[in-house]
Amino acid sequence: MSDTKQLFKPEDRGFDFGTAVAEAGRCLLCHDAPCSQGCPAGTDPGTFIRKLRLRNVTGAIRTVKENNILGGACGVLCPVARLCEKECAACGIDRPIRIGKLQRFLVEQSWRTDFRVFAGRPRPAGEKRVAVIGAGPAGLSCAAELAKLGIPVTVFEARPEAGGVLRYGVPEFRLPKAFLEGEIADVRSLGVEFRFGKRIPSRAAAEALLGKGFSAVFLGIGLWKASRLEGKPRDVAGLLSSVDFLAALRDGRKVAVGRAVKGRTVAVIGGGSVAIDCARCALRLGAQDVYLLYRRSYAQMPAEEDERQEALLEGVHFLLLNQPVGYLTDPRGGLRGVSLRRTRLGVKDASGRRRPEELTGSDWALEAQVAVEAIGNEPEDGLGLIRADARDCRTAKAGVFAGGDIVRGPDLVVRAVLDGKTAARSIARFLTRGRSPQKAAR
Amino acid sequence: MEKRPDLSVEFLGKTFINPFLLSSSPVSNSAKMLERAFEAGWSGVAYKTLVTGRIPIVHPSPRMHPYHYGETRLMGLQNVEQTTDRGLKPNLRDIAYLKKHWPDRVVMASIMGFANQEWADLARACEDAGADMLELNFSCPHMTVEGSGCKVGQEHELVEKFTATVRKVVSIPLVAKMTPNLADMSIPALAAKRGGADAISAINTVKGISEIGLDDWVPRPNVFGKGAISGYSGPAVKPIGLRFIAELASDPKLKLPLSGIGGIETWVDALEYLLAGAATVQVTTGVIHYGYRIVEDMIEGLSDYMAQKGVSRVADLIGKALPNLHDTGKFDVAKQGVAQYDLDRCVGCGQCYIVCRDAGGEALEWDAAKRRPRQIEDKCLSCMICGFVCPVAGLITFKKKPASWKRRPTVTLG
Ligand SMILES: Cc1cc2nc3c(=O)[nH]c(=O)nc-3n(C[C@H](O)[C@H](O)[C@H](O)COP(=O)(O)OP(=O)(O)OC[C@H]3O[C@@H](n4cnc5c(N)ncnc54)[C@H](O)[C@@H]3O)c2cc1C
Ligand SMILES: Cc1cc2nc3c(=O)[nH]c(=O)nc-3n(C[C@H](O)[C@H](O)[C@H](O)COP(=O)(O)O)c2cc1C
Ligand code: SF4
């Protein structure tokens, strides 16, 4: 087991002080910094890099954490190549400043130097309490922002611990546990209350909290039902959804999963980031061969370029232009293989990518003892995404707000953080209706 | 919001909201610009040096040159700028405007006369315009007019005479700004005190030549084919400024409040000036490099430092390094140490080996197979230059040796 433990060790160690200062030294300190405009959550890299450059390290940490309560996790997980770093003016010279890594460094530096941005902050003391449903990025961000605005918050979380996808989805080798523990401790230090193992049974039940001591409700419940290839998945031993597979690796079932995967051939179905995570985990668990089955080609894969490259280099076999059409089982009900049909790319579809067209008579079977379906996530209650206004996160029901993946569909941590902040400010306005408008004080 | 330390300081009877001022230069050239500086957080300004309109001032063009060192921009800055090239009247109007609209900020008018009467006229005009205090510029290193600038600063009788002249005609406090282009600053500083100065500011720019064109052989800046020995400022001069502030602060005869200038860009630089004895600090080149915005980081950085150290007032930092400042003769050379290596983290570059062999104690051998240095400890001079070049932070550190430890003598050939 210690072998797999090693393999799940975080791979990227992050900058040390000297490297970070040198990287900050490359920054052009732009006026009206374009990187800051490229950050969905308003983390303001232009300012925190300038602060680091001017030896105001504590101030730089403060900027990150005030603007983005999950600044560390975002520094690690954000696809920076299409966000802040894409806008970096240094791209016009050679390569962008490594903004994500600097952001991550600052958060780690705060732990190393025991500099707590929120130490000594008064506890929220307002009379009206807000219920936040879900302790994922959206819920955590909303709760932290509310607490900073002086509004008491209770977070209801179905699972035993906070983090949402960060804890029960993203594999440990990509996001070290320290980021979860450290940043959740920051949320707690703001005086946010948590109720774990407390599933709110339905949307109606969430709305009903309005009458029960809560003046507003924020829904940040994410997408926790895996989309399945065959509408109703068969009970086949060895056939898993990405949600089950990834959660098992982080909630104490790693040994059991490891036993099922070790030495076997694993087929992962899908071309997104989640599929890549599943494939890389399977390799780390000791799978003999891992195939990534995707119906379009490499260029159309939704997964980030760097993840695709890393998976390829680690030894994941990309089996492109193949559409899985069914599973083969052995007499004991165990998985034996995946039936595949070859495809070719036709004309563009609504997503702007060329549509895969199945080639009749091209069916074949890939032998595999384990298959993981990673073809998308949906709301758990089957009721579809929640509709909320992007500008203020308000839903059709007054007092009920929503954000993150449950509104956007599968998206990013940093956009969930943005929604949490937007919702909190909008809730603050909602709570002070009729009174003088509340300023979003910092 | 949690309680933040109070950054305010008392200087010459005025409360400054923080110790950070702009020094007299293009960064303090007009009220329009200074309003933005005050918005950014600067507590006050030494306004760009005023002169009477008698001799028109025209700046050479170009008037500055950057000294980049490798990847580091503006290690130093060379300039041949003169005093203000704006008329006296518009400047006085600007000073009055600033005092009216920014009552919590301090305006110190910098003046330079070319004759006794001019000093008196300028001083009176500035006081009438509402200036809180005056800075007497005895220190510009490249004034083209005889009897002005640091030529005065180097003649202590003139310093005393001009200060006394000003003292007689105004009641606001006087700060005498010193040139570093001399061996002992306490002589002109004491002369200024005798003349009636209430405080000293230092340093103005250091005379130097930062670069010479390799094709045209003209020292920079190249003013249409001519160069000059002129004023050098920025991070490169900080050690010089700190030295003079520490010396003035330790002078038992002087005992005047000090305003530290020279190479300040960050809160760390500013703090060092405070620890060396300055009560306020002034900045030019830092703003020429980064703009007024750097004060935000100076304020935040210093107040976080104070909070972490449990220091509640800036005054409690002033001069705190002085008790630790001694003549080198006071060092206890019976105590010795060596460089200590944490080779687990070594990346095998061998730079330590090269510098120790060629500039140190020849105390390292090179294990070529392992690519690691091997230290012969009793040859180590504890010069620590190996640590200066090591790319891995904290790999090479200083370790104290017991009193019984002996260093091997240097090898003699022949
Ligand atoms: C495997 C994987 C890898 C990813 N990698 C990245 C990446 O590298 N970078 C990136 O930016 N994004 C990544 N994402 C996307 C990102 O994780 C999500 O966009 C983000 O987590 C959405 O946050 P959220 O708060 O809306 O939802 P979630 O993170 O899903 O959190 C929702 C929370 O609500 C709780 N909950 C649900 N229902 C209830 C209920 N009824 N009562 C109480 N609690 C409830 C859940 O237990 C959960 O804790 C990845 C997603 C996955 C699945
Ligand atoms: C372009 C330029 C112009 C200056 N003009 C003046 C001046 O008019 N009067 C004055 O007292 N000092 C003048 N100085 C000196 C500065 O006020 C300051 O003493 C010196 O630059 C050192 O500080 P620094 O390293 O922060 O720039 C000037 C400096 C520069 C670079
Ligand atoms: S900085 Fe402005 S004033 Fe100075 S040379 Fe450039 S354009 Fe001219």
Side-chain angles (χ1 to χ4, degrees), chain A residues 80-127:
Chain A
V80 287
R82 58 189 172 92
L83 300 171
C84 51
E85 290 185 14
K86 178 166 174 245
E87 306 303 327
C88 176
C91 292
I93 299 167
D94 55 353
R95 62 196 163 83
I97 309 305
R98 299 174 76 185
I99 298 170
K101 292 203 73 169
L102 285 176
Q103 186 173 311
R104 168 191 179 163
F105 159 79
L106 288 168
V107 172
E108 291 184 299
Q109 184 70 5
S110 76
W111 303 331
R112 276 192 286 263
T113 56
D114 198 27
F115 176 73
R116 306 275 158 191
V117 171
F118 304 115
R121 217 38 90 84
R123 309 237 123 195
E127 288 152 23

Side-chain angles (χ1 to χ4, degrees), chain A residues 370-387:
Chain A
V370 178
V372 181
E373 290 182 6
I375 55 172
N377 290 359
E378 312 164 10
E380 222 164 0
D381 57 9
L383 294 179
L385 299 177
I386 298 178
R387 289 168 63 103

